[in-house]
Amino acid sequence: MGELVGDPTAAGLPAFGARRLLYVGTGALSAAHMPFWLNWLRQGYPDVEVRPLITRSAERFVSRGALAPLAGREALLDAWPDGPVHAAPHVELAEWAEAVVVHPASLNFLARLALGLADTPVMLALQCTSAPVVLAPSLPPGALRSAAYRRHRAALEERPNVSVVPPTPGLSSTTGRMDAALAAPLPELLTAAERLRTRADDEVAR
């Protein structure tokens, strides 16, 4: 894929101008696909530094041991350090990231973010960062129409640096029916992040 270096759009990949991407996975089954998408990011966007981070609930579906070699760096766990640290992890994450994708985003994660909770490093970082934050909901059957989801999504979309990419219909591993709402493909999140990023740049330039 050497032809992609410096110009991902030449291969039909979405334009993406951020150079430091925080890639968050939460507790939904499709977190198992993170190694695939991480490999895709590294090959398609070799100039982008990707830092993977998973929540404790995502550890049921994917391991940091699988993500670290693909990222070429440590894969982080969304937990407060046990001992003293020289720098606050949430501040470091918020200042490091030029864009954030949460893929997949469970209903629990969406709700906590929408409510303004700040009980883990990444949750506090996302409440504070001015970088684009794009979320890909991954929901069980029925959740897409629930009052909780609709309320939390609306609250998140009021934030100028946040976008929620609608899920796509998919097969539920439990019901066996096409009644689940699966996380949108990662390229759609990069497109949304780039839209937020360029809009912010345009507003600064005015």
Side-chain angles (χ1 to χ4, degrees), residues 33-199:
H33 300 156
M34 287 184 72
F36 167 82
W37 286 117
L38 187 53
N39 189 54
W40 177 84
L41 282 168
R42 290 295 304 279
Q43 292 193 52
Y45 301 87
D47 296 334
V48 177
E49 188 177 358
V50 183
R51 179 180 287 190
L53 181 151
I54 58 175
T55 64
R56 288 194 183 280
S57 57
E59 285 190 301
R60 291 179 295 165
F61 308 112
V62 65
S63 74
R64 288 186 289 156
L67 297 173
L70 293 170
R73 62 181 304 157
E74 180 186 10
L76 304 174
L77 179 65
D78 187 25
W80 296 110
D82 290 330
V85 294
H86 70 280
H90 55 286
V91 176
E92 198 277 330
L93 287 172
E95 295 197 352
W96 179 85
E98 293 184 354
V100 181
V101 292
V102 184
H103 183 260
S106 67
L107 181 55
N108 182 56
F109 190 92
L110 288 165
R112 291 166 58 221
L113 186 62
L115 291 172
L117 299 186
D119 53 348
T120 68
V122 78
M123 193 59 63
L124 182 50
L126 297 195
Q127 304 292 5
C128 300
T129 187
S130 58
V133 176
V134 182
L135 304 109
S138 182
L139 307 171
L144 192 62
R145 298 185 302 276
S146 70
Y149 172 71
R150 288 183 292 173
R151 181 170 63 251
H152 294 316
R153 176 178 175 177
L156 289 169
E157 290 186 330
E158 289 179 355
R159 302 184 187 186
N161 69 320
V162 173
S163 179
V164 180
V165 178
T168 60
L171 181 69
S172 166
S173 60
T174 300
T175 68
R177 301 187 299 267
M178 292 290 289
D179 55 4
L182 306 184
L186 189 56
E188 294 187 23
L189 275 71
L190 298 190
T191 298
E194 187 66 8
R195 190 180 304 122
L196 288 172
R197 198 183 68 82
T198 54
R199 186 175 70 190

